[in-house]
Amino acid sequence: MSTLTFQGAVGEVTGSRYLLEVDGDGRQHALLLECGLHQGGAEADRANARPLGALAKRLEAVVLSHGHLDHSGLLPKLVREGYRGPIHCTRDTAELLEIMLQDAAFVMAKDIEFENKWRKRADKPLVEPLYTIDDVADTLALCVPHGYGQPVNLPGDVTLVFRDAGHILGSAIVELMVPSGGRQRHLVFSGDLGNPSSVLMKDPETLHEADLVLMESTYGDRDHRPLEETLEEFAQVLDEAQAAGGNVLIPAFAVGRTQEILYHLSVLYHEGRLKQQVVFLDSPMAIRVTELYDRLRNSLNRDDLKVLNVAAQGDPSQYLPILRLTRSVEESMAINRIHGGAIVIAGAGMCNGGRILHHFRYNLAKPSTRVVIVGFQAAGTLGRALVDGAERVKVLGEELPVKAKVHTIGGFSAHAGQSELIGWAGAFRNRPLVYLVHGEPEAQRVLQRALADAGIDAEIPDFQDCIPL
């Protein structure tokens, strides 16, 4: 009998990982679905530090739904500790991984260097990063890219097919046909399902056949506001910031959210509604990803691209003429000499590192500043503290008063809302059992009740639960 063990993204939205042990061709095979980084404070750091060597040596294949670090960010650690098999992903995900994992290793090296300075002064043992840029290179060499809809043979007579999840570039719903107990079992993992209202991405594919479904539940407790209302709210915040004489700070997820925000700013600019004088994209990784999105535009929604082409008369350089790309540290530091009239999009999306922290240091204590939160903020992150209304926060070792106005605009989310999740799950025939993953406990409980009202059975697994297929 084949089994599935829940090793991550259980009761949380990060650290996605599921172990599939397959009773195929007369012997046991171990496959891993996802290998994500935990995000959100000391507990997440401890989870990331757990050894993976024993797992790495058992595995014959890894399957990845998409490139976000909470799904892929521990792959180089897995490789560092002994994994040498293939990493199956979509073609666009393979290209994104190069940017994402290299940046993660670079940031990690900088953080460790900073931490070891005070450890040395305090005569404490030095620490090592989870992985290095060399481990990233070894990881990328193992990636095996595939197109959507293309059947792939895995060890143990397992068949893999990727379907478009509509979340970010290359994101996939994972279909696995798994032999178990003398017959084939159909396992479907939603990955991160896209928000149909989002621009640039195509809508998530709807599937109809499954025996078992793993479904994300990030926004299981709510629906997003309609896009039209969201855009009006966004425009109003920008107007208020300009009238108050302050800057707008947007903590940006480098993949997906940044490109969508730039799209909407472009539309506002060409409608004559954007009053700010300059927009800074202050994230080397987000810049590289934005350039990749432009190069792989054939993967994007053509109707949305048509809107930009019309607005800019077909010239990509004119999509947003007031956009400035700040790659160097010196260019980033210079932004903080601007006291008003600027929009600053900077990483990291959950405010747990990156250049956004430096902009907080100069702007968070000003009542004229507007902070616009456009993505999910995990428990334990600085972004979550701001969303929850913290009056004081610690930034780069310094405690700051939060005088800026913080706006959460959930309609920009790249995740499906509750209604979309129920609709997607409800499309399966024969009522497969649904397991809710990648969500915080309250959101999962609310979604479980809503699914039950729709006649869909759903369970909420615990960490290390093992279920037969």
Side-chain angles (χ1 to χ4, degrees):
M1 181 72 70
S2 298
T3 61
L4 179 75
T5 304
F6 297 87
Q7 296 191 338
V10 178
E12 61 171 326
V13 296
T14 67
S16 186
R17 194 166 86 217
Y18 315 96
L19 176 63
L20 189 60
E21 294 174 286
V22 181
D23 184 19
D25 63 24
R27 64 187 184 91
Q28 278 273 319
H29 301 268
L31 313 177
L32 195 65
L33 179 57
E34 315 274 80
C35 194
L37 193 72
H38 297 267
Q39 297 166 308
E43 189 174 337
D45 292 341
R46 286 191 290 272
N48 290 331
R50 291 177 191 138
L52 294 177
L55 176 63
K57 291 174 176 59
R58 291 181 56 210
L59 291 176
E60 295 178 60
V62 174
V63 177
L64 189 64
S65 71
H66 66 287
H68 273 150
L69 291 180
D70 56 331
H71 294 257
S72 70
L74 283 185
L75 282 172
K77 177 177 166 66
L78 187 73
V79 171
R80 181 186 180 97
E81 298 187 21
Y83 180 67
R84 294 295 180 268
I87 299 169
H88 297 279
C89 58
T90 66
R91 294 191 184 106
D92 291 347
T93 293
E95 297 221 37
L96 265 180
L97 279 179
E98 181 176 358
I99 300 172
M100 302 287 287
L101 296 179
Q102 286 177 354
D103 184 81
F106 175 80
V107 170
M108 205 178 298
K110 288 292 184 184
D111 289 346
I112 292 293
E113 181 183 356
F114 179 80
E115 183 173 348
N116 279 338
K117 282 181 181 178
W118 72 259
R119 282 181 168 272
K120 193 171 184 180
R121 288 195 299 269
D123 199 28
K124 292 192 173 184
L126 303 184
V127 294
E128 291 188 359
L130 295 175
Y131 50 82
T132 68
I133 197 71
D134 290 337
D135 299 317
V136 170
D138 292 340
T139 302
L140 295 173
L142 299 176
C143 289
V144 182
H146 308 283
Y148 291 123
Q150 172 187 339
V152 180
N153 295 322
L154 301 183
D157 292 330
V158 175
T159 302
L160 158 71
V161 180
F162 289 120
R163 307 289 182 187
D164 195 343
H167 175 61
I168 63 168
L169 192 68
S171 61
I173 298 162
V174 178
E175 280 193 276
L176 294 168
M177 293 299 296
V178 183
S180 182
R183 61 190 184 125
Q184 290 287 317
R185 304 295 286 174
H186 195 165
L187 169 64
V188 173
F189 170 50
S190 70
D192 284 356
L193 290 174
N195 179 355
S197 295
S198 295
V199 296
L200 299 178
M201 293 295 105
K202 298 171 184 174
D203 288 352
E205 288 191 50
T206 300
L207 280 66
H208 301 287
E209 303 297 333
D211 296 305
L212 181 70
V213 177
L214 306 185
M215 186 172 75
E216 69 123 320
S217 51
T218 312
Y219 287 98
D221 57 348
R222 76 198 88 159
D223 280 327
H224 304 304
R225 292 180 69 183
L227 182 59
E228 189 173 320
E229 292 180 20
T230 296
L231 293 177
E232 283 305 312
E233 182 184 3
F234 186 43
Q236 186 176 341
V237 171
L238 298 180
D239 286 347
E240 288 177 4
Q242 187 68 8
N247 292 322
V248 179
L249 306 182
I250 305 178
F253 294 85
V255 183
R257 210 66 44 83
T258 290
Q259 292 73 40
E260 183 173 0
I261 294 299
L262 290 175
Y263 174 97
H264 291 304
L265 289 173
S266 298
V267 172
L268 288 173
Y269 175 87
H270 288 287
E271 290 177 348
R273 299 180 62 192
L274 189 60
K275 299 181 175 67
Q276 276 76 11
Q277 301 301 305
V278 61
V279 176
F280 292 102
L281 179 52
D282 188 31
S283 164
M285 179 169 67
I287 292 169
R288 291 182 65 193
V289 172
T290 302
E291 292 169 343
L292 180 64
Y293 265 62
D294 187 58
R295 182 162 61 81
L296 300 179
R297 56 181 42 232
N298 285 340
S299 299
L300 305 179
N301 187 316
R302 293 183 180 180
D303 290 338
D304 294 330
L305 292 178
K306 194 183 299 179
V307 171
L308 286 186
N309 274 315
V310 170
Q313 288 81 50
D315 182 358
S317 68
Q318 295 303 306
Y319 288 160
L320 187 55
I322 62 172
L323 177 63
R324 302 291 178 265
L325 307 178
T326 52
R327 300 175 194 268
S328 71
V329 173
E330 292 75 19
E331 289 172 314
S332 177
M333 292 171 63
I335 294 172
N336 290 314
R337 295 199 290 268
I338 300 174
H339 301 293
I343 298 172
V344 183
I345 304 169
M350 294 188 192
C351 313
N352 53 339
R355 293 183 178 181
I356 193 66
L357 299 182
H358 296 277
H359 301 305
F360 279 170
R361 190 177 181 185
Y362 284 90
N363 292 274
L364 210 53
K366 299 177 181 177
S368 60
T369 299
R370 300 295 184 270
V371 177
V372 180
I373 303 292
V374 295
F376 188 85
Q377 305 297 308
T381 62
L382 174 57
R384 181 62 165 266
L386 292 172
V387 168
D388 289 345
E391 295 182 355
R392 302 186 70 84
V393 293
K394 185 168 281 190
V395 177
L396 299 172
E398 179 183 355
E399 194 169 277
L400 297 175
V402 181
K403 300 293 187 184
K405 288 189 177 179
V406 179
H407 301 266
T408 301
I409 304 184
F412 284 139
S413 175
H415 286 265
Q418 185 192 78
S419 294
E420 287 85 22
L421 291 171
I422 294 171
W424 187 81
F428 288 100
R429 305 184 186 102
N430 302 323
R431 296 183 59 184
L433 185 58
V434 176
Y435 283 86
L436 300 181
V437 296
H438 201 283
E440 294 187 347
E442 181 57 26
Q444 291 184 322
R445 287 191 289 267
V446 171
L447 179 58
Q448 185 183 40
R449 291 193 294 268
L451 286 167
D453 290 342
I456 300 169
D457 296 325
E459 294 193 10
I460 301 172
D462 290 323
F463 180 66
Q464 292 292 12
D465 275 359
C466 180
I467 59 171
L469 296 183

